Amino acid sequence: MMRMSRLRGAHWIPCLVTLLTLVVIGFQAVPPGVSAAPAAPAKAEVKIDNFSFSPAIITVKAGTQITWTNEDDIPHTVVSDSKAFKSKVLATGEKFTLTAGKTGTYSYACSIHPNMTGKVVVE
């Protein structure tokens, strides 16, 4: 009879082992090279104001979203010399966004005010 009560009291051990195993599995670190969640795309901003692009030269990684915002009180455009990208005419407060693709250096200007120039360097 004594032996039987000892066995009945030990039934919690497998439950404890199972619970501890689940806890350990749940708290494992994410293996290197695997991201827990997809990374948001990198972003860069260029301001258009006082007849200039700021910064005039921007260096970004491929895949970066670049946004030009017209903060000037007159319309402007963003047009690459190679025709790789071209915005519509941007009124005050309007934005033009593109995702940097192929590596290289892209010179651009405002087609309305050609003395306004800038460069995007994609690495």
Side-chain angles (χ1 to χ4, degrees):
M1 191 77 163
M2 190 157 214
R3 189 178 233 197
M4 191 68 154
S5 65
R6 221 187 274 172
L7 288 176
R8 269 192 231 158
H11 75 282
W12 59 271
I13 294 174
C15 292
L16 180 62
V17 169
T18 302
L19 179 63
L20 289 173
T21 303
L22 291 173
V23 168
V24 168
I25 290 171
F27 285 111
Q28 282 185 341
V30 176
V34 176
S35 61
K43 296 184 179 190
E45 303 238 348
V46 178
K47 301 210 182 302
I48 305 170
D49 195 18
N50 199 26
F51 291 90
S52 65
F53 297 104
S54 180
I57 300 172
I58 188 166
T59 302
V60 298
K61 302 262 186 233
T64 300
Q65 288 183 341
I66 307 168
T67 301
W68 285 262
T69 303
N70 185 5
E71 294 182 356
D72 217 339
D73 54 356
I74 60 169
H76 294 289
T77 63
V78 180
V79 181
S80 75
D81 296 349
S82 65
K83 307 297 184 232
F85 54 88
K86 177 181 180 180
S87 74
K88 67 178 187 104
V89 175
L90 303 173
T92 303
E94 288 189 311
K95 299 177 183 226
F96 169 64
T97 300
L98 70 86
T99 300
K102 205 157 71 165
T103 59
T105 299
Y106 301 88
S107 296
Y108 66 90
C110 172
S111 61
I112 304 168
H113 310 99
N115 60 320
M116 291 175 57
T117 61
K119 280 186 189 174
V120 174
V121 180
V122 181
E123 297 179 330

